[in-house]
Amino acid sequence: MDVVAVASPSIYLQDLVSFGRGFLRQGTVIKDATVENSSLPVDTFRILLIDNSVVYKNAGDIRVLDRNHLHPGQVVGSASDIAGQIGVVTGVTTLLVLAEHDNRGMATGVIKGVCPSSLRRISSLSLGDFVVSGPWLGRVVEVSVDVDVLFDDGAVCRQQINCDFYPGQSVKKENSCSLFKAARWLNGYWNPDRDRGTIIKVEMSGVLVYWIASMHCGTDRELVEASAPPAYQHPDELTLFCAASSCSWWVSDQCFFREPRSAKTDDDNGNVAIAHDQEEEEEEDDDDDPCSENNEDVIDFDQDAPSAHDVPPTPTKQNGVIFYGKQLRKVFFEGHRRERRPQVRKHVELEFPMTVVSTNTSVDVLWQDGTLQHGVPSASLVPFDVMNEQEFFPGEHVVENDTAVGTNGDKDGTTKRVGIVRSLDCKDQTVCVSWLKAGICPGEAREVECIETISAYDLKLNYSPYYGDIVVRLVRSESTNNGGASVALDGKKKKKKKIAADVDLSWVGHVVNLPDGHVQVKWGDGSMSTVSPHEIVVVNEGHYMELTNEMGDWVEADGLDEEATSTDNNDPHNPANYSDVENEDPAATTTSILGFVVRSLLQLTGDMVARGKRYLTNRQPPPSSLLPSSEVPAPTNDDNNCGAPFQKNDIIGGEATENVAAACDKSFSFPRFDVLQITPEDHHYLDDADQEMQGGSHGKNWAKAVQKEWKILENDLPETIYTRVFEDRMDLLRVVMVGASGTPYHHGLFFFDLQLPSSYPAEPPQVYYHSYGLRLNPNLYESGTVCLSLLNTFNGEGTELWSSVTSSLLQVVVSIQGLVLNDQPYYNEAGYETLVGKPEGRRNALPYSENAYILSLRTILHVLHRPPQGFEEFVKDHFRRQGRFVLMTCNACLRGCVVGDAHATEAIREQQCSAGLKLALANMLPSLLAAFIEIGAEGCEEFQKSYALSPAH
């Protein structure tokens, strides 16, 4: 959910808000198309009113009335304590206020307390709806609606469109959605003078469905695509399955009662008259007797409109409640107010819809501390989508993190424990977990072995069904024909209505509770049962627009181009091995030859590299014109602190900085820049030879540009960044940088492989981060991707983007160290910079830094056991000198300190690290100490006594 205001941070998209008295001054906050990024704060809100008009209001002029967009499974926080604990919605109750209209479109009354289950929408299906056909579950990604328009002279036309209309609505031909000329004429013919009509019927004619699961195939994408029904379906052949996240009702929605509320006066032919004589209308108006005590609920669409009064709702009970979801998509017509239509002396069957004018929603919330709160007003809660990985909720399944790393760099091989979260303390970052006994057979009931409080940093989510999830119960197929789907499809054309009524919905449902590690599901047929997690699969509830992008090949072609598909194996990051396969593909042979040509070209530049290396060894410092621009961030390393993890005054007693200066006097013999003859075999881009790098003149210019970069790097690299380039592959580099002091990355070593494209410097280098499978920064992915504007891997503008004139490799590596590996990595995430200084930002920033610190320590273990080639001795030398201070810093954290924060106030700086961090460090220290002792790190004896490591550790 996108936050759309600064002045009122509790206002979100789709909120029902008020800016005055009465229903006409209420509306829904919608996205402003003129704002490119809706997550960025704005000063005004775009509000959709009940008559489909749009107004803009200042943040200070509106207040939130309701949040009916909250749904089961959504994470929420308290609007009065955003920095406190968060919870998950387990149930939602919504009541609607409806406005009735007469045959002139004028409001005649309001109906309060209407249950959505007693209503039906104008269109049976809408975009994003979940639908069932036999054993198949899909989502509607495109709809087509037949709209019949009646004109004053009795002519009727039908237009097939996908816009939102309702019976009784007046339309003009100027509207792009009402192309009368191209319409099918049911009565009469097109006349250019006939420019205004009244919609008398809206009926869905067809939908496009993306099939996502079945009771036989589960959610397996290949099986579903191979045996699913046709994508195009008639609505009568589908049954709606309500997903909680898409079944909300919004202001200005049009609807009817499922059952008549009262008898209506029909004409002699049994049809409802849609027009009356003027005298009859006046008599009816005189008979109305509105209730004066309810004037505050009057809907005044027009100054001359009659007063409305409350009508007591008719109590109805429906079994198998079905909501008709609808996306918040509106079509705005010229003249939003309803107006009197010319008298039509024709009698047609016409039912005028009611309009939703307000909603009242209450929710049940399960908070992180295990408290279940019922009937919470939705306006007192805020959607909370900005979460760290360490946020857990009661009922979730978790496993132990990979904290134990053996001395050979591999995991210790022990079976991970599986548990169920009982509660979480968001202040201490500790989790109470019920650990389960190991099961003998898959899916068998598992008893609780013990209950333990553990650090949130030592856990990770073991994905399992949770509140609000749509699930499919797997049923063994009794047919060998595409899971039995063909049988269901064959019978639909003959008895559409019967099929829709008798369709089996007992295999698809949504999670309503999680009792004792099991899953309680309410199925589509209204029944409820408790199942084991292995008996069901969770359906992905991504936005339907994401599915639309995948529909092309599936709908337009039954098969993919085999030749094009075969290229999927040519992933540069995971090249296919053809050494044992006879190559019959000429294209593959050509690629191999081109790769040989490129390597030959690089070998021919060896003498140029050698001359460049001698020049680099004997040259003087470059002129100031070659230095990077002032926009390049200076390294954040504090030479007087040798990259200590915290500022000196952040460490209680100053233990972590004691004798640091003495260690700094022993400078490394490892040069910051050097040219090696052979590229290491583990370089990420070793097998990626740019095929465009051919042609003598182009190669010579490229080599000169690379030499220029080498000169800058050799002379101007900061003391904490080390680079190696290679004679046999001038396009490759390997860089290691030391984490700066005052950041969660202090003392750590972070390795990057770079490749210069043939178009360099017109295009930026490619950069790969050696992550060891850990995500310790928003810009550094487990896959090795480095997300940075300077590399064109993230959006940016101006000097943030790569420039062939001013940008350089030095700027890249310094930016990674200074801008990515900084003291507040949480705010590196896109859009999070707006949370600096706000409660939700402060709530998440410290836990993120603590987790980044833990991941940095795990990275140290991985680097010690599997150092990148060419840096083996450097790694050992670095941690022989710095290992003692790594342990001292961990020990100081156990006694009380907080990860350095340049943006923190004095009050925050004085707070201690969380109990969860202390527990995680206590588990980490023995492994760190053992690794440092193994390489002969200095000063570890005192720690060895403290942790009493056995010789076998």
Side-chain angles (χ1 to χ4, degrees), residues 18 40 215 241 288 300 322 384 408 517 629 645 693 814 853 865:
S18 171
L40 296 179
M215 68 167 69
F241 173 78
D288 290 338
D300 186 11
I322 298 179
F384 207 98
N408 60 352
S629 66
M693 286 179 52
V814 173
Y853 180 47
H865 298 310

Side-chain angles (χ1 to χ4, degrees), residues 369-651:
D369 63 2
T371 303
L372 179 60
Q373 189 175 3
H374 296 279
V376 182
S378 62
S380 67
L381 304 171
V382 293
F384 207 98
D385 293 340
V386 181
M387 295 183 296
N388 291 325
E389 294 181 359
Q390 294 73 45
E391 301 285 6
F392 299 102
F393 299 93
E396 288 185 327
H397 288 236
V398 292
V399 295
E400 289 181 296
N401 225 328
D402 300 326
T403 55
V405 180
T407 55
N408 60 352
D410 298 326
K411 301 171 186 176
D412 60 2
T414 59
T415 303
K416 296 180 181 178
R417 292 189 296 174
V418 178
I420 301 175
V421 175
R422 296 172 63 90
S423 64
L424 176 140
D425 189 320
C426 66
K427 302 296 184 183
D428 286 343
Q429 294 298 309
T430 56
V431 185
C432 182
V433 181
S434 295
W435 294 112
L436 303 178
K437 293 182 179 179
I440 301 177
C441 300
E444 71 171 339
R446 300 171 64 176
E447 299 179 358
V448 175
E449 182 177 27
C450 65
I451 298 176
E452 179 185 10
T453 298
I454 189 172
S455 170
Y457 305 119
D458 286 337
L459 295 174
K460 63 181 179 180
L461 189 63
N462 186 27
Y463 290 99
S464 59
Y466 204 59
Y467 290 100
D469 284 345
I470 293 180
V471 295
V472 171
R473 176 159 45 191
L474 298 178
V475 179
R476 180 176 297 179
S477 175
E478 298 179 358
S479 171
T480 57
N481 279 338
N482 64 21
S486 59
V487 177
L489 292 175
D490 290 342
K492 289 178 182 176
K493 296 182 179 180
K494 297 181 180 179
K495 298 181 180 180
K496 296 179 181 178
K497 299 296 182 181
K498 184 176 180 180
I499 292 293
D502 298 338
V503 67
D504 179 17
L505 296 179
S506 63
W507 56 275
V508 56
H510 60 273
V511 178
V512 296
N513 201 2
L514 300 168
D516 301 324
H518 291 78
V519 184
Q520 190 175 36
V521 182
K522 183 174 182 180
W523 302 104
D525 60 359
S527 63
M528 193 175 299
S529 65
T530 300
V531 298
S532 297
H534 78 281
E535 299 180 59
I536 56 180
V537 293
V538 178
V539 175
N540 180 18
E541 292 189 62
H543 197 277
Y544 74 92
M545 289 298 295
E546 300 174 1
L547 305 179
T548 304
N549 297 332
E550 303 177 17
M551 288 289 289
D553 294 337
W554 188 6
V555 176
E556 298 176 5
D558 294 332
L560 299 176
D561 190 338
E562 297 181 358
E563 183 176 355
T565 305
S566 65
T567 61
D568 292 342
N569 294 327
N570 297 330
D571 184 356
H573 302 298
N574 186 22
N577 183 6
Y578 299 104
S579 57
D580 298 329
V581 181
E582 183 177 356
N583 190 354
E584 298 179 353
D585 186 359
T589 305
T590 304
T591 301
S592 177
I593 295 175
L594 287 174
F596 175 77
V597 171
V598 173
R599 286 183 171 82
S600 300
L601 173 63
L602 294 174
Q603 291 290 348
L604 292 175
T605 62
D607 56 341
M608 185 181 299
V609 175
R611 291 194 299 269
K613 183 177 179 181
R614 289 193 296 271
Y615 174 79
L616 290 171
T617 304
N618 301 318
R619 74 182 182 90
Q620 298 296 322
S624 58
S625 60
L626 292 181
L627 295 177
S629 66
S630 59
E631 296 174 352
V632 179
T636 58
N637 176 61
D638 184 355
D639 294 337
N640 296 326
N641 210 22
C642 264
F646 311 109
Q647 300 296 335
K648 185 174 181 178
N649 55 7
D650 287 335
I651 306 299

Side-chain angles (χ1 to χ4, degrees), residues 746-775:
H746 48 273
H747 293 313
L749 295 179
F750 306 94
F751 287 86
F752 299 85
D753 288 345
L754 286 75
Q755 183 182 35
L756 307 181
S758 61
S759 56
Y760 188 86
E763 298 292 333
Q766 298 183 68
V767 182
Y768 172 84
Y769 166 60
H770 288 260
S771 69
Y772 297 96
L774 303 176
R775 178 82 182 273

